[in-house]
Amino acid sequence: MSAKEGGDRLRALFEASIALTSELSLEALLQRLVETAASLTGARYAALGVIDESGTQLERFLTTGIDPETHVAIGQLPRGRGILGVLIREAHPLRLHDLGDDPRSVGFPAHHPPMRSFLGVPIVLRGVAYGNLYLTEKEGGEDFSEEDEELVTLLAAQAAVAIENARLYESATRWSRQLESLHEVVRALGEETDLAQLLDLVCRRLRELIDARLALIALPEPDGDLRIAAIDGEGEAAYGLLGHRLRRDRSKSGRVLERRQSARVDSVLDDPEVDQDEARRMGVRTGLYVPLVVRGRAIGIVAMHDKLGSEARFTDADLRVAEIFAARAAVAVDLSQRVARDTVRRVVEAQELERRRLARELHDETGQALTSILLGLKAIRAAEDPAEAERAEAEVRDLVVQALQDVRRLAVELRPTALDDFGLVPALERLVSTFEERSGIRTVVQAGLGEERFPPEVETVLYRLVQEALTNVVKHAAAENVSVVLTRRGEGIGAIVEDDGQGFVPDETRDEALGLVGMRERIALVGGTLTVESTPGAGTAVSAHVPLAGADDARGESGTPLRGRAQAGGALDAFR
């Protein structure tokens, strides 16, 4: 090499060093470093492999000289075997005349371009190898020279400083964003009580922090499964997953929730706990799963998928950030849920107090007024022709008696005294007895609740549910038999009302016609669930699960709602 050529290369190295130190984006810096090394040495192909934290393999691999089509044809990028692994273990420059002649070489995968001459130089940061520069196929078919090795070694030393600066800058920027997001969530903890909006905020901000393609929050349902309650991601397809249910016993989210320990998955295809059908549905490759834990109780889970950029895998640093964020978010979510439950209880209590007041007024005031009318009718007989007065009195008496019966019936429907005095089961037995007498439909009650009394809101909701369901049977079912089944299930109560009537095809319009919308809303007020199963000609089953108010802290962790024919069939079979 002439002196002039050597001077030109040194000037090019100096200019490249200045350009590298001015680059603050680590990703852009690494790519420019690869391209600069190739340009300085005349290599056709160049690559930079970033060593993972274990120090045994590559976690990232950036290249230049290979077109995108060839990249796709080659498939998975190398992880550090063969000659690449030698540089990882020894961290010393390495020059080879022919890669294929070295006994440590493991060859190339299919569709890989041929490569013979080789130069490898480590990039060392603070005495620890950060990665390696790999150069192959020097122009003209020549071998890489000692000058090439020296030049690339100097470049690697300058690159180490630039990489350190870029990492510090990105770290400072990242922590600034993280602190801002944490501050927003802490502020929301005291200001935002709407659970849906809070979950959306947490999801959105955490995805931004971690640079994930998709982030979601799943909350446990009373039946044990998980429901996606918030989601944020690229493209409209992500929002189609809102409300989607995940099997707790088959999904990675469910397993992490049970263990209450975070998990990082570098490949969802290789993780046996991942539901592969769900992974394909979401189109994800990697995952980060962090449980929302409050006072040792798991109330939900945050899952993130596919880190943006050239490397889809998340890092341990991403996991630590997500755990810090999730710990504060869990407190906010728990507070929002508690506020919602307290509001619901007060609404239900206010409704029931109003019903009781109306019941007393109808019984005491209206009932007494009608009784006074009956007494006043005696004057009719003395004032007019006896026969005519007697006939008029009889007609009025019949009307008044009927009115009294209607008033008493209304008072019972507003708030049955049996519910207050004796509890849920006796009140339902009385309701069913009256229903059977008036409708002529054979009805049976099976209650496995014993003599235990339950919170007033729970008893009221279940009573109203059965009452409305029986009303629907009379109006729409054309049934001959009805069964009512109540069962204690874990930390809640399950109730099923099943008939052998004409059935129907469930749809939204039918829900409104049958009053099911109101039933669902009432059940939801106490954190319960309602399902309806019906088939034309095969009857209908209304199934509900209501968690006990005293078991709020365990809600979503145990108890499975009764479901349809499999549970209710036993009672109805008694008629068949």
Side-chain angles (χ1 to χ4, degrees):
M1 180 187 299
S2 66
K4 182 177 183 305
E5 290 175 338
D8 291 341
R9 296 182 75 184
L10 286 176
R11 280 194 296 274
L13 174 63
F14 178 72
E15 292 173 358
S17 299
I18 294 176
L20 290 175
T21 55
S22 64
E23 182 62 69
L24 295 178
S25 168
L26 182 59
E27 189 74 18
L29 170 63
L30 297 179
Q31 187 62 46
R32 175 174 284 193
L33 176 58
V34 173
E35 295 168 356
T36 300
S39 175
L40 288 175
T41 59
R44 181 177 179 182
Y45 305 110
L48 189 154
V50 179
I51 302 173
D52 67 6
E53 293 186 0
S54 69
T56 60
Q57 62 180 356
L58 302 177
E59 68 174 13
R60 297 166 69 187
F61 199 78
L62 297 86
T63 66
T64 186
I66 299 179
D67 57 75
E69 292 77 12
T70 305
H71 258 302
V72 173
I74 293 173
Q76 187 177 8
L77 295 175
R79 292 300 180 191
R81 299 173 59 218
I83 298 298
L84 303 189
V86 173
L87 267 81
I88 295 175
R89 293 189 297 272
E90 299 180 1
H92 294 298
L94 177 65
R95 280 187 293 126
L96 298 174
H97 168 69
D98 191 332
L99 278 168
D101 293 341
D102 194 291
R104 297 168 295 182
S105 176
V106 294
F108 298 105
H111 308 293
H112 197 285
M115 294 180 179
R116 296 179 65 253
S117 58
F118 175 83
L119 171 62
V121 175
I123 301 173
V124 180
L125 284 174
R126 301 181 183 275
V128 178
Y130 171 83
N132 295 300
L133 280 168
Y134 308 108
L135 306 166
T136 63
E137 291 297 290
K138 184 176 175 65
E139 59 188 3
E142 301 177 1
D143 290 342
F144 290 98
S145 63
E146 291 185 6
E147 289 79 7
D148 292 327
E149 179 181 324
E150 182 179 357
L151 202 65
V152 176
T153 301
L154 290 172
L155 178 66
Q158 293 292 327
V161 176
I163 290 172
E164 182 73 4
N165 290 338
R167 290 171 72 179
L168 289 173
Y169 175 79
E170 289 195 348
S171 177
T173 303
R174 182 170 61 253
W175 274 109
S176 176
R177 290 166 52 208
Q178 292 167 355
L179 288 174
E180 180 182 349
S181 296
L182 287 173
H183 174 69
E184 185 173 358
V185 170
V186 170
R187 185 173 66 249
L189 188 151
E191 298 176 358
E192 184 60 74
T193 58
D194 183 272
L195 182 60
Q197 295 185 19
L198 179 61
L199 294 177
D200 181 70
L201 169 66
V202 172
C203 222
R204 186 175 66 255
R205 297 298 286 176
L206 187 53
R207 187 176 83 87
E208 294 172 357
L209 277 178
I210 305 299
D211 290 328
R213 182 183 64 82
L214 182 69
L216 61 89
I217 296 176
L219 302 181
E221 291 285 280
D223 63 1
D225 287 343
L226 302 174
R227 178 181 58 84
I228 298 178
I231 190 165
D232 187 71
E234 294 184 341
E236 297 181 0
Y239 297 94
L241 297 169
L242 187 64
H244 180 66
R245 295 172 72 92
L246 305 173
R247 287 282 300 276
R248 188 164 183 164
D249 58 343
R250 291 182 55 186
S251 66
K252 183 70 176 182
S253 295
R255 304 293 175 79
V256 170
L257 189 68
E258 290 177 359
R259 291 192 294 262
R260 302 177 191 178
Q261 294 181 346
S262 303
R264 192 186 77 187
V265 178
D266 291 340
S267 173
V268 297
L269 292 176
D270 299 327
D271 193 308
E273 291 185 334
V274 172
D275 186 333
Q276 297 302 323
D277 291 336
E278 292 292 352
R280 284 191 291 270
R281 178 188 178 93
M282 297 182 184
V284 297
R285 295 176 292 161
T286 66
L288 201 62
Y289 302 85
V290 181
L292 298 174
V293 180
V294 179
R295 297 184 297 279
R297 177 173 56 88
I299 63 172
I301 187 166
V302 177
M304 284 147 287
H305 295 285
D306 299 345
K307 190 174 180 68
L308 298 175
S310 60
E311 177 55 64
R313 295 181 298 175
F314 296 98
T315 65
D316 287 339
D318 294 329
L319 181 59
R320 288 192 293 271
V321 170
E323 288 177 334
I324 294 172
F325 195 88
R328 286 151 181 79
V331 175
V333 171
D334 180 62
L335 176 62
S336 179
Q337 289 177 330
R338 288 177 176 273
V339 169
R341 290 196 294 267
D342 183 63
T343 301
V344 165
R345 288 197 188 96
R346 282 185 286 180
V347 169
V348 172
E349 288 174 2
Q351 290 175 341
E352 291 308 312
L353 285 174
E354 179 65 12
R355 290 189 179 96
R356 292 178 187 180
R357 183 186 66 79
L358 290 173
R360 286 196 302 269
E361 289 181 0
L362 287 171
H363 180 271
D364 297 340
E365 297 180 11
T366 309
Q368 290 177 8
L370 292 174
T371 302
S372 298
I373 293 175
L374 282 174
L375 296 175
L377 289 175
K378 295 180 180 180
I380 298 177
R381 300 177 66 181
E384 301 291 341
D385 177 71
E388 183 179 349
E390 186 175 356
R391 178 171 51 79
E393 178 197 7
E395 293 175 355
V396 174
R397 181 182 294 275
D398 291 339
L399 293 174
V400 173
V401 169
Q402 182 61 47
L404 280 172
Q405 292 177 347
D406 291 341
V407 168
R408 290 193 181 103
R409 177 180 57 79
L410 182 59
V412 168
E413 290 178 351
L414 284 172
R415 181 68 190 184
T417 56
L419 194 59
D420 291 324
D421 297 339
F422 304 109
L424 177 61
V425 175
L428 287 177
E429 289 175 345
R430 180 173 178 179
L431 173 66
V432 166
S433 177
T434 303
F435 169 79
E436 187 174 33
E437 179 181 345
R438 292 180 178 177
S439 66
I441 301 174
R442 287 176 293 177
T443 309
V444 65
V445 176
Q446 288 187 0
L449 304 180
E451 298 181 356
E452 183 180 359
R453 292 300 302 266
F454 303 101
E457 63 268 25
V458 172
E459 293 189 341
T460 300
V461 163
L462 289 172
Y463 183 89
R464 302 297 179 199
L465 169 76
V466 175
Q467 188 179 51
E468 182 66 26
L470 292 178
T471 300
N472 284 338
V473 170
V474 173
K475 291 181 178 179
H476 308 287
E480 296 181 358
N481 304 291
V482 178
S483 71
V484 179
V485 180
L486 290 97
T487 310
R488 181 69 178 269
R489 300 285 294 183
E491 299 295 340
I493 300 176
I496 293 180
V497 180
E498 184 182 17
D499 66 70
D500 61 357
Q502 60 188 5
F504 62 93
V505 178
D507 56 52
E508 293 184 2
T509 302
R510 192 72 180 182
D511 280 3
E512 295 178 1
L514 295 177
L516 294 177
V517 174
M519 294 168 70
R520 294 186 196 279
E521 291 176 349
R522 178 180 284 276
I523 291 292
L525 283 175
V526 291
T529 57
L530 180 75
T531 59
V532 179
E533 297 182 8
S534 186
T535 304
T540 301
V542 178
S543 174
H545 180 272
V546 177
L548 296 176
D552 282 338
D553 289 347
R555 184 172 300 168
E557 298 178 17
S558 62
T560 302
L562 305 175
R563 290 200 182 275
R565 309 290 191 272
Q567 301 292 341
L572 194 55
D573 284 345
F575 292 118
R576 297 174 179 150

